[in-house]
Amino acid sequence: MESTEQTKDRDGRKVRIVQELVPGKQVTLAHIIARPKPIVYQKLGLDPKVDYEQSAIAILSMTPSEISIIAGDIALKTADIDVGFIDRFSGSLIFTGRVSAVTSAVRGILTYLKSKLGFEICEITTT
């Protein structure tokens, strides 16, 4: 993202300042939907392999976007989950499983990214 600002220097001449925002290493969303309604699975094109009362959907957003690939791998190695969507261009990751497995996988991702790669991490939110 870029922003432009005009101001004046000490001599009263107009000066144009251009600032660019460069996203850092960060997880901006780590949300768990516990026991979602079946329609949520259907609208997202997800196939739950457990009963709806025990299931959850994790949604993560991170930058740089390629880290979503690594996060998906960490999730699969941490817990018994099913990856529903990895987008290496937007940094989105969605996976499903039992509430406990999804929670464990999200925690595993955040712990690894923070401790090993120096990421800024958001808190886990749930609904």
Side-chain angles (χ1 to χ4, degrees):
M1 181 190 311
E2 185 178 287
S3 67
T4 304
E5 176 185 329
Q6 287 195 355
T7 188
K8 294 186 179 184
D9 66 8
R10 288 188 223 166
D11 299 326
R13 295 179 295 209
K14 286 185 182 179
V15 177
R16 183 175 160 204
I17 300 171
V18 177
Q19 294 179 320
E20 253 183 80
L21 174 65
V22 179
K25 299 186 307 185
Q26 59 188 345
V27 177
T28 56
L29 175 68
H31 188 80
I32 299 170
I33 302 172
R35 295 174 295 285
K37 300 290 184 190
I39 190 70
V40 177
Y41 284 95
Q42 293 168 5
K43 293 296 182 180
L44 291 173
L46 301 172
D47 180 29
K49 294 190 176 178
V50 296
D51 68 75
Y52 290 110
E53 287 301 310
Q54 299 283 324
S55 65
I57 300 172
I59 305 162
L60 290 95
S61 180
M62 54 205 91
T63 58
S65 58
E66 297 84 2
I67 202 68
S68 61
I69 301 165
I70 295 168
D73 180 59
I74 293 167
L76 287 164
K77 290 176 178 174
T78 302
D80 184 21
I81 57 98
D82 293 305
V83 173
F85 182 75
I86 298 177
D87 188 346
R88 65 181 181 181
F89 301 109
S90 71
S92 298
L93 171 63
I94 298 174
F95 55 88
T96 62
R98 296 177 73 82
V99 174
S100 59
V102 167
T103 302
S104 180
V106 171
R107 286 185 181 142
I109 291 167
L110 297 183
T111 298
Y112 183 87
L113 294 182
K114 183 175 183 172
S115 66
K116 300 290 185 186
L117 298 178
F119 271 60
E120 291 294 320
I121 303 298
C122 66
E123 71 177 83
I124 300 171
T125 58
T126 60
T127 52

